[in-house]
Each structure stands twice: as C-alpha cells, then as structure tokens.
Amino acid sequence: MADDRDAAVEVLAARAAEADAADPLAHLRDQFDLDEEVVYLDGNSLGALPTSVPGRLREVVEQEWGRGLIRSWRGAGWWDAPERVGDRIAPLVGAAPGQIVVGDSTSVNVFRLTVAGLRAAAERDPRRTELLVDETTFPTDGYLARSAAQLTGAPLVPCHPSDLSRRLGDRTGLVLLNHVDYRTGELWDLPTLTAAARDAGALTLWDLSHSAGALPVGLDQAGVDLAVGCGYKYLNGGPGAPAFCYVRADLQERLDQPLTGWCSHADPFGMEPDYRAASGATRFRTGTPEILSLLSLDAALDVWAGVDLTEVRRKSLALTGFFVSCLDVLAPAGSFRLLTPRADERRGSQVALECDDARAVMAALEAQGVIGDHRPPNVCRFGFAPLYTRFVDALTAADALSTRLRARDGVGPA
C-alpha cells in the first residue's frame, strides 16, 4: 500500500516539475521575499512580501518623511497618490483610468458605496429602495449592509447569487455581491449577474477582495456600476494596506457619497465652511491618505509590470486543479468534502474543503511549514497566488494534508 502511494507521489512530482518548468510566470517568484522552507497558501488572506517594498518604504520614511517633511505632500506626490495608485490597479480589474481611488479599508468603502448607490437608485426611481445582499457574503459586508439599510431606510433582502435573477424586481435599487465566495472559493458570473441587475433597473456593487489580482475581472466591459477591492491579498500591499473603490465614469457626478471628508472637497485647502464635492474619482476620498501603507501598496504593484492576466488565470486554474487531483489520488476516500467547484469557470483561486477536526488539521500542517487557513467550523482553505505559488508547492501541501488525514483516520502514519 505504501509502495503504491510512493509511486503515485512520484508521478505527481514529475507532473509538478514539468508544469513549473513550463510556467511563463515562474520568474516572478524571485520578486517576492519567500521562506523556501515554507509552503505559503494563504495569499488570499495576506499576500507575500514583494522585494520592492522594503527599500521603497525606507526611502519614504527616511527621505520623504524624514527630510522632506510636510513638503513631500506636493514634492513627493503624496497628495495625488490615491488616484495615481488607483490608476495602477485599474488594468488589473479591467477599468479605464480615472475610475478608481485608493484609501480607507474595504469595509469603509463597502459602506460608502452602498449608501451612495442606494441614494442614487432612489433618486432615479423613488420605488427602488431595496438592497439585495449576497447571503453568502463575507460577514463584514453583511454587517455594513445592515447599517447602510438602517441609515437609508432601505429594506434589506438576502439573496443567494444563484437566485438573483428571480429575486430582482421593480423595487430593487442596489445589489451587493461578492465576486468569489470567501469560504468556498466559488466564482460568480460577474458579467451575467451585472447584466441581470441592469436589465431589472438596479445598480450593482461588487466586492472583488478575492478576485482582484487573481483573475481578469473586466469591470468596464461588464458595465459594472460600483466595486470595492482589497489591497493586501492578491495585490500584496501588506497588512492593513488600503482598499480601493471603483465608480464607473458616467456615475461619478451623480453619486452623493456619505463620507464627505476634506480630501474629497473641490478645494480641500480652501477650508470653506460648506462642502463642494470634487470631480471624478477624487470625490470618493474622505480623509488624509495613509501614506506609508499606500506607498507600500504602490511599490508592491511593480511586480505586475508586463504581466498577462490571461496567464495568471490559466496558472491559477492549473494550480487549483492540480491540487485537487493530488488530493483525489493521495487522500483517503471520504476523508474530506470538496467545497470548491471542480468546473474551471466556477472556481476562483482557492480550494476549500470540509473535514472533521479542521482546526487541528490546519495547525498540524502549519507546524510542518504548510500555511493555509481555517474557517469555522470545519473548513480548510488554501489560496493559490499565481505570481509566486509553484506546482511543487501544491503537491507538497496535498501530500502533507493527505498524510494528516490518513493518520487521523487510522490508515497511515502521521
């Protein structure tokens, strides 16, 4: 039995080596500071450190802040960084320049655009007051949706993405959806669901936290109205990196954003007592930019120069598919339940599975240098960041996981 397993691992290792040798993105791994003793499969929670970041942060701290002091707001381009970095993110999510601004957290941006979207929908058609919310959403989106609904008086309607078309109606004002289910890794059809909402007369707000930087998004092409995204997952901006928000160009002057801070004023240094909104994406800023974390994200984006998102998606699907096939071969039958869809068109860039004692399983893997994460009660998640994850990493993780499951079930050594 052990001989059969060893032979299977040998075959899978040959497949992994062949795939890594042919990988057109393999050279990008050298642009990340990675511990070669660790298999890191949690880039869907916190991306790895790009080698471009430490030196840039040192320059910002020691020169721009240390020597330039307040002059750096203009002299070093700090003041315009939210829009400039937004324009760097734009190609990664399929947006033209001038539609993305970077700042605050994903949570703040979800609240900002939910309230703004509800107000805009009701202004266009007073009947459209309902807020449809993805019932599988990341919890904070749900919390903020309830707060936004209370603030605006909007009825809150939970809706599974697969049931959206049936739930849309002439009272629907805004639909808040996640592009990728954070728990299962299921990818929802953004163009189709956006079109369904548009045809029903509703606006769409997409949370791209688990897709931006992992796969092509195509915001402009799909006609998405609003979107938010995370800077510290697949974009590798570092812990607490600011998020981004996207507002389609033709909507920008129509939206009345609720967080009217001084940085979104038409003349922020005029110190006027009354608020006048800035034009363009700038009107979706609020307070003073988080310069250190913002410029860390800016430096992290250097790794994307010349990267073809089609290749990123191709590798993501190959990695996740290979990982699942390794588990199919190596893990005991019935030892886990795959939550992530096997079909390529329905899979993001993570693999989630359900198994007994998932917390203990993931703790044991981490002790062996394989880092994924656990979601209660019994979900194990493995995120595959195509810029730096290798096929050999996928096999190492699958081998370690299957060995742990075999030991737990009493069918092999720990």
Side-chain angles (χ1 to χ4, degrees):
M1 197 70 168
D3 289 344
D4 290 344
R5 189 176 189 282
D6 289 345
V9 171
E10 187 175 341
V11 170
L12 292 169
R15 285 178 55 191
E18 182 179 1
D20 283 329
D23 176 16
L25 303 178
H27 65 285
L28 295 173
R29 182 178 170 88
D30 292 338
Q31 297 189 43
F32 292 87
D33 185 4
L34 293 162
D35 182 348
E36 293 300 328
E37 300 300 314
V38 170
V39 171
Y40 188 62
L41 299 182
D42 208 5
N44 54 328
S45 284
L46 175 65
L49 171 65
T51 57
S52 57
V53 171
R56 175 61 179 133
L57 275 181
R58 192 174 304 112
E59 178 185 27
V60 172
V61 171
E62 295 178 357
Q63 298 301 319
E64 296 180 7
W65 178 15
R67 296 292 175 265
L69 297 168
I70 201 168
R71 293 169 294 184
S72 289
W73 281 108
R74 293 298 184 188
W78 287 1
W79 184 256
D80 299 325
E83 293 86 355
R84 176 172 52 78
V85 179
D87 283 346
R88 297 193 72 190
I89 292 172
L92 302 180
V93 292
Q99 299 177 102
I100 292 179
V101 67
V102 180
D104 302 307
S105 66
T106 308
S107 299
V108 170
N109 285 319
V110 167
F111 180 80
R112 181 202 318 276
L113 294 188
T114 299
V115 173
L118 285 169
R119 288 176 175 174
E123 182 177 350
R124 185 172 61 183
D125 183 345
R127 297 174 302 164
R128 295 194 174 277
T129 60
E130 285 185 350
L131 171 59
L132 260 63
V133 179
D134 179 353
E135 65 184 29
T136 69
T137 192
F138 187 73
T140 193
D141 287 19
Y143 306 154
L144 292 160
R146 283 193 288 274
S147 293
Q150 290 170 357
L151 179 68
T152 61
L156 187 67
V157 181
C159 175
H160 195 278
S162 63
D163 199 31
L164 179 67
S165 295
R166 189 179 68 82
R167 300 295 295 275
L168 288 164
D170 58 10
R171 293 179 57 80
T172 308
L174 178 70
V175 180
L176 170 59
L177 295 164
N178 283 251
H179 196 191
V180 175
D181 186 320
Y182 83 99
R183 191 168 180 271
T184 67
E186 181 161 8
L187 173 69
W188 298 109
D189 189 339
L190 181 146
T192 298
L193 295 179
T194 298
R198 181 173 58 248
D199 291 345
L203 298 174
T204 51
L205 168 54
W206 285 91
D207 186 335
L208 310 177
S209 293
H210 288 271
S211 58
L215 52 93
V217 176
L219 292 177
D220 286 353
Q221 185 175 4
V224 168
D225 301 302
L226 310 166
V228 300
C230 181
Y232 55 79
K233 299 183 189 295
Y234 294 109
L235 297 184
N236 310 298
F244 64 88
C245 68
Y246 162 92
V247 180
R248 203 178 67 233
D250 63 307
L251 281 177
Q252 290 175 358
E253 304 305 313
R254 291 169 43 198
L255 259 61
D256 174 27
Q257 81 120 319
L259 302 177
T260 50
W262 76 294
C263 289
S264 65
H265 195 284
D267 183 12
F269 294 97
M271 305 302 170
E272 299 173 10
D274 296 322
Y275 181 78
R276 291 185 296 117
S279 60
T282 300
R283 73 191 299 144
F284 301 99
R285 292 172 59 164
T286 296
T288 305
E290 314 90 328
I291 289 301
L292 297 182
S293 55
L294 178 57
L295 296 184
S296 174
L297 172 60
D298 187 26
L301 293 171
D302 290 350
V303 74
W304 291 94
V307 173
D308 183 347
L309 280 170
T310 302
E311 292 292 348
V312 171
R313 178 59 171 160
R314 184 178 293 117
K315 182 179 177 183
S316 166
L317 291 173
L319 279 168
T320 51
F322 178 64
F323 180 71
V324 171
S325 68
C326 290
L327 291 177
D328 287 340
V329 171
L330 301 176
S335 60
F336 70 91
R337 182 171 73 90
L338 185 65
L339 300 178
T340 305
R342 290 179 181 269
D344 284 358
E345 69 275 10
R346 295 180 55 210
R347 190 167 70 247
S349 200
Q350 74 178 52
V351 174
L353 56 91
E354 190 173 52
C355 67
D356 293 338
D357 300 322
R359 184 185 295 276
V361 167
M362 295 307 296
L365 292 187
E366 184 171 341
Q368 293 177 247
V370 176
I371 300 178
D373 66 18
H374 162 259
R375 289 292 178 266
N378 277 323
V379 176
C380 301
R381 296 194 320 171
F382 300 90
F384 293 82
L387 298 193
Y388 54 80
T389 306
R390 301 169 299 188
F391 288 87
V392 68
D393 298 327
L395 173 57
T396 300
D399 190 15
L401 175 58
S402 61
T403 299
R404 179 65 187 178
L405 294 175
R406 294 172 70 85
R408 184 203 62 187
D409 296 346
V411 294

